[in-house]
Amino acid sequence: MWICFHLPTKSWRWDRSPILDVGAGGSSFTAEACQRGREAIAVDPLYQMKPEEIYTKGKREIEESTQKLAGIAHTLHWEYYGSLGQHHQNRERSLEQFIAAYRADEGIGKRYVAGLLPELPFANDQFSLVLTSHFLFLYQQQFDEQFHLNAIKELLRVCQPDGRIRLYPLIGLDRTPYSKLPQLMEEIQRFGHTASLQPTSFRFLVGATHYLEIRKA
């Protein structure tokens, strides 16, 4: 689905330069971006699998996550999705759109590339915008501080000079903010880049009101 943390639409640079969606999974973002005339690539270890395998896995995960969300629905914001049922339908539509695009790309590997942080299979300075949604800090209990730093260094490597990296959300599954974020931002700035917290109007997880934007020097 087309959620991009206020992606600019007027600048020629953003319109013509490629976008990278890291840890994209079965999301329809890349398919929708390409339909809108943008050059976009998705990377995920999932793309080593055949379309039928991903589709089966995706359907199962949607059912499992819907059951889990039902138990905590009262703690979530529903302004964007409307309801749990609509959220379920939204994810199913997104999966269908993704699978259609993934099948079209099978054997080509132009839009959907198998890869895993902290080592991505792309050249230096390739993308003007790099996105990571619902991955790094959401699973902060599974990744230590060094992994986060190494992952961001890799995102910076593949990002073009003056390009942007956007990471969302900045909280974990337990709804606690990533405690090492201030130190991480200081480290990024020590490398000569700019790191800032930007507000987003997208609401779902309580407390997930901002994303981290890194501007590569």
Side-chain angles (χ1 to χ4, degrees), residues 17-56:
S17 297
I19 300 169
L20 179 64
D21 187 7
V22 181
S27 165
S28 63
F29 174 81
T30 293
E32 292 188 54
C34 292
Q35 288 174 1
R36 296 182 181 217
R38 299 180 183 275
E39 182 182 352
I41 295 175
V43 61
D44 196 287
L46 190 69
Y47 304 152
Q48 300 177 74
M49 301 169 63
K50 294 293 184 182
E52 293 73 19
E53 296 175 301
I54 297 179
Y55 185 72
T56 299

Side-chain angles (χ1 to χ4, degrees), residues 55-98:
Y55 185 72
T56 299
K57 178 180 174 64
K59 292 285 283 186
R60 182 173 63 250
E61 288 182 346
I62 289 172
E63 296 304 321
E64 291 174 352
S65 66
T66 298
Q67 291 180 10
K68 292 178 181 178
L69 288 176
I72 61 170
H74 63 286
T75 70
L76 303 170
H77 294 294
W78 294 101
E79 291 88 347
Y80 179 84
Y81 294 109
S83 67
L84 180 62
Q86 289 173 304
H87 178 270
H88 183 277
Q89 293 174 7
N90 186 294
R91 288 201 61 189
E92 287 192 324
R93 284 194 300 269
S94 181
L95 178 62
E96 295 289 346
Q97 191 170 2
F98 159 77

Side-chain angles (χ1 to χ4, degrees), residues 118 163 193:
H193 312 294

Side-chain angles (χ1 to χ4, degrees), residues 1 27 60 65 78 110 132 141-142:
M1 53 191 167
S27 165
R60 182 173 63 250
S65 66
W78 294 101
K110 180 181 179 181
T132 301
Q141 295 178 337
Q142 299 179 32

Side-chain angles (χ1 to χ4, degrees), residues 3-9 166 198-202 211:
I3 299 174
C4 198
F5 326 139
H6 306 297
L7 176 65
T9 57
R166 292 176 177 173
Q198 299 294 332
T200 174
S201 59
F202 175 67
Y211 61 90

Side-chain angles (χ1 to χ4, degrees), residues 201-216:
S201 59
F202 175 67
R203 293 288 183 273
F204 189 51
L205 298 174
V206 173
T209 58
H210 292 72
Y211 61 90
L212 174 63
E213 178 172 272
I214 303 169
R215 179 175 176 177
K216 183 175 177 178

